[in-house]
Amino acid sequence: MHETPIARIKNWHQEASEKLTALDSRLLELEKNKEQDIVTLLHLMEQKLK
């Protein structure tokens, strides 16, 4: 069966929405990792100064 333009747009919108959600959670994960890396780096620098 041939997909109607509206159905194609709805499918495209759904896929785009899912991809954005996945990217958003990946960005949050990277942000958390970056914060943890900074904390670790500061801790190591503090140890070096002692």
Side-chain angles (χ1 to χ4, degrees), residues 1 4-6 20-21 24 29-31 36 41 46-47:
M1 194 180 112
T4 66
I6 302 255
L20 279 173
T21 301
D24 200 38
E29 191 181 315
L30 286 171
E31 194 64 34
Q36 188 54 55
L41 185 60
E46 188 180 50
Q47 294 302 310

Side-chain angles (χ1 to χ4, degrees), residues 14-27:
Q14 181 64 38
E15 285 175 29
S17 183
E18 288 167 8
K19 287 176 184 173
L20 279 173
T21 301
L23 276 173
D24 200 38
S25 23
R26 182 70 181 120
L27 275 173

